């Protein structure tokens, strides 16, 4: 099909150097720019500290407002062929307006990860720690087969909202294959509504050798709850035990939007250094000997661990960290689900050059097999083009989505119009 016009409605302006979600949306945009598409990015959010320079890429930028008819005029004039909602909250807010003014536009949802899965796992972790505050083995909490996971998700408001948005959309981009299996298996979402679209990268050189690297590294946006939990676990439990065995070791903790509570953890005397935002994440990752990502809850696939592979940096993480990331291929590092296992893994990779080099060598094959940019970019564009040419038949097969759109969009429309009218009367 000929090049078309893509409108992205973002929850925030993309920040590829601050989060994996920001990097993923930029990778998706690049897929369509490579095909000669016109791309417009719109968001109701304020400017971010580390936002991408969209204009430099030829992407038009448009500020929009919630509950404001100005968006109706904007999209009616723009007439995009495809509208991509970046997070389900944007589909909730703007989906009815898109359908009203551009009914033939293909509506795509970028989930980034299943927020409802992440939230349910956070609840399970809190419950486990409340029942056993000194718990050190979390293996039973990591599996998608956890007996309480679906029960927590199914009862949660956020799950019902997120899955409803997936049904209302023509296609949802899923970064993790296990999350596709969760949706199609437990929630009975039709597979035709989902498309696997992981992080897409181009592998480069092998990175620095063992003897040219030093220290441990932890990196991640502090606004992301799983990252903050991992840093606290490192500070209070894991790092003291690692440091006891490696008295000269240092852990360098980087993260965007570092709050005062994170800076308060900084203690150079203990080798625990909180260093704020890394302007070049790959540079600091490539200098580190071992990346630590002790994630006790979360969802999706982890940008920090893909970055570690790109730099040839072995990682120590949990089954949450590796979920959906390596399939049958070996992990380029070590995985454990309890405190002793994580500490042993960290010490081993830091000290044992043979073990480090074995893990280092496994990174490139995994990237080549699962994360190369071009195959995934071509598959995404092909899927979008196919749906554009068969959209009427595709929607006819999704009666549940049509029903949900009818009821949700009407209620959302009336609420938005009431808010707008109230604002005008009080202005």
């Amino acid at each position: 099909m000929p090049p078309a016009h893509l409108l992205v409605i973002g929850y925030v302006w993309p920040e590829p150097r601050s989060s994996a979600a920001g990097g993923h949306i930029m990778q998706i945009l690049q897929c369509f720019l490579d095909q000669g598409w016109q791309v417009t990015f719109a968001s109701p959010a304020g400017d971010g500290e580390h936002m991408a320079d969209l204009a430099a890429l030829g992407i038009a930028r448009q500020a929009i407002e919630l509950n404001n008819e100005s968006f109706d005029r904007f999209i009616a004039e723009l007439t995009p062929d495809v509208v991509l909602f970046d997070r389900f909250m944007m589909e909730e807010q703007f989906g009815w307006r898109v359908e009203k003014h551009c009914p033939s536009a293909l509506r795509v949802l970028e989930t980034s990860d299943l927020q409802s899965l992440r939230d349910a796992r956070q609840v399970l972790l809190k419950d486990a720690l409340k029942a056993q505050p000194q718990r050190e083995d979390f293996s039973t909490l990591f599996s998608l087969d956890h007996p309480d996971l679906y029960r927590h998700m199914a009862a949660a408001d956020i799950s019902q909202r997120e899955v409803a948005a997936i049904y209302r959309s023509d296609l949802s981009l899923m970064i993790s294959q296990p999350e596709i299996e969760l949706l199609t298996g437990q929630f009975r979402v039709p597979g035709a509504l989902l498309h696997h679209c992981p992080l897409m990268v181009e592998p480069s050189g092998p990175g620095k050798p063992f003897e040219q690297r030093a220290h441990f590294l932890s990196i991640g946006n502090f606004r992301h709850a799983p990252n903050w939990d991992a840093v606290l676990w490192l500070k209070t439990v894991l790092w003291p035990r690692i440091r006891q065995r490696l008295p000269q070791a240092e852990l360098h903790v980087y993260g965007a939007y570092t709050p005062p509570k994170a800076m308060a953890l900084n203690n150079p005397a203990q080798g625990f250094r909180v260093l704020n935002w890394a302007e070049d994440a790959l540079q600091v990752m490539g200098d580190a000997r071992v990346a630590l990502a002790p994630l006790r809850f979360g969802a999706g696939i982890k940008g920090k661990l893909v970055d570690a592979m790109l730099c040839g940096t072995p990682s120590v993480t949990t089954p949450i960290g590796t979920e959906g990331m390596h399939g049958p291929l070996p992990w380029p590092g070590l995985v454990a689900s309890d405190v002793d296992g994580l500490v042993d893994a960290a010490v081993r990779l830091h000290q044992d050059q043979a073990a480090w080099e074995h893990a280092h060598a496994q990174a490139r094959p995994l990237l080549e097999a699962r994360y190369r940019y071009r195959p995934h970019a071509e598959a995404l564009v092909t899927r979008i083009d196919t749906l554009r040419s068969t959209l009427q038949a595709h929607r006819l097969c999704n009666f549940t989505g049509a029903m949900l759109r009818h009821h949700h969009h009407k209620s959302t429309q009336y609420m938005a119009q009431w808010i707008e009218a109230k604002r005008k009367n009080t202005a």
Side-chain angles (χ1 to χ4, degrees):
M1 296 184 73
H5 191 166
L6 169 68
L7 168 65
V8 181
I9 303 176
Y11 181 65
V12 295
W13 299 104
E15 295 190 4
R17 295 188 297 169
S18 296
S19 70
H24 193 230
I25 194 66
M26 294 303 297
Q27 293 161 7
I28 292 170
L29 298 183
Q30 192 62 51
C31 294
F32 295 99
L33 291 172
D34 289 346
Q35 300 299 314
W37 282 43
Q38 182 180 352
V39 178
T40 300
F41 198 104
S43 177
D47 289 356
E49 186 177 342
H50 310 299
M51 57 190 292
D53 186 354
L54 297 176
L57 298 171
I59 298 173
R61 172 178 161 165
Q62 178 66 47
I64 54 178
E65 294 183 41
L66 300 173
N67 305 310
N68 194 308
E69 63 184 6
S70 61
F71 180 85
D72 300 346
R73 296 190 295 270
F74 160 68
I75 195 168
E77 293 174 4
L78 195 71
T79 60
D81 301 286
V82 179
V83 177
L84 188 149
F85 303 100
D86 183 20
R87 320 296 171 85
F88 75 89
M89 299 81 78
M90 293 297 94
E91 190 279 335
E92 288 180 327
Q93 288 288 336
F94 295 98
W96 70 272
R97 295 182 186 272
V98 171
E99 183 171 21
K100 179 178 180 180
H101 297 285
C102 297
S104 61
L106 181 71
R107 298 183 294 269
V108 181
L109 175 63
E110 156 65 344
T111 61
S112 184
D113 60 19
L114 274 182
Q115 187 173 332
S116 52
L117 172 60
R118 185 196 329 143
D119 286 9
R121 281 174 160 163
Q122 186 172 12
V123 170
L124 289 173
L125 176 63
K126 288 180 178 178
D127 289 348
L129 291 176
K130 184 177 180 181
Q132 190 179 353
Q134 304 304 315
R135 180 173 181 155
E136 294 194 349
D137 185 346
F138 297 90
S139 56
T140 58
L141 294 179
F142 292 134
S143 173
L144 285 172
D145 296 326
H146 189 289
D148 291 331
L149 183 61
Y150 176 71
R151 178 174 60 83
H152 276 285
M153 290 186 69
D157 174 75
I158 190 172
S159 302
Q160 296 175 19
R161 291 170 57 197
E162 190 168 33
V163 174
I166 289 171
Y167 267 106
R168 289 193 298 264
S169 302
D170 297 313
L171 187 69
S172 290
L173 307 184
M174 305 299 302
I175 203 167
S176 167
Q177 186 65 43
E179 291 180 9
I180 292 178
E181 295 167 5
L182 175 66
L183 288 173
T184 56
Q186 297 277 32
F187 291 93
R188 302 294 190 266
V189 174
L193 299 180
L194 308 174
H195 179 79
H196 183 221
C197 183
L199 295 173
M200 300 174 278
V201 298
E202 288 296 348
S204 54
K208 294 180 178 180
F210 177 86
E211 61 272 10
Q212 293 181 18
R213 296 173 181 246
H215 311 312
F216 293 93
L217 176 81
S218 174
I219 192 167
N221 192 320
F222 283 109
R223 290 178 174 175
H224 192 55
N227 292 339
W228 176 238
D229 175 77
V231 169
L232 286 178
W233 199 26
L234 276 166
K235 173 68 175 181
T236 58
V237 178
L238 298 170
W239 184 248
R241 300 193 192 185
I242 295 172
R243 177 78 169 184
Q244 186 176 26
R245 294 171 61 177
L246 301 174
Q248 303 305 313
E250 292 185 4
L251 171 60
H252 296 177
V253 180
Y254 291 91
Y257 299 103
T258 311
K261 64 181 181 180
M263 291 305 303
L265 302 179
N266 184 54
N267 191 327
Q270 297 175 354
F272 196 95
R273 297 179 177 270
V274 180
L275 299 169
N276 209 318
W277 181 64
E279 186 166 346
D280 187 338
L282 293 180
Q283 185 266 316
V284 297
M285 182 68 79
D287 289 339
R289 183 170 290 179
V290 180
L292 300 180
L295 298 162
R296 295 193 290 186
F297 68 96
I301 60 176
K302 313 305 180 291
K304 62 177 71 64
L305 294 175
V306 171
D307 285 349
M309 293 182 226
L310 284 168
C311 298
T313 305
S315 58
V316 174
T317 188
T318 64
I320 286 287
T322 63
E323 183 178 84
M325 292 200 66
H326 65 107
L329 296 175
W331 183 253
L334 295 172
V335 184
S337 56
D338 62 272
V339 170
D340 287 342
L342 290 166
V343 171
D344 288 344
V347 172
R348 181 184 178 197
L349 285 178
H350 189 273
Q351 297 298 94
D352 186 337
Q353 184 170 348
W356 187 94
E357 289 176 345
H358 179 71
H360 171 83
Q362 292 170 336
R364 181 64 180 258
L366 180 52
L367 288 173
E368 294 279 358
R370 296 180 67 91
Y371 298 101
R372 285 199 70 93
Y373 171 82
R374 186 162 300 281
H376 291 295
E378 291 175 352
L380 174 60
V381 173
T382 298
R383 184 74 183 274
I384 295 296
D385 281 343
T386 300
L387 282 181
R388 287 176 59 206
S389 64
T390 60
L391 187 56
Q392 186 174 357
H394 178 74
R395 287 178 175 171
L396 191 61
C397 294
N398 184 19
F399 177 79
T400 300
M403 179 176 61
L404 288 169
R405 283 200 312 275
H406 172 78
H407 290 286
H408 171 82
H409 288 352
K410 287 297 182 183
S411 61
T412 305
Q413 175 182 348
Y414 296 146
M415 177 59 73
Q417 290 173 338
W418 178 83
I419 292 172
E420 187 173 2
K422 184 178 180 181
R423 183 173 59 240
K424 288 179 179 178
N425 291 335
T426 56

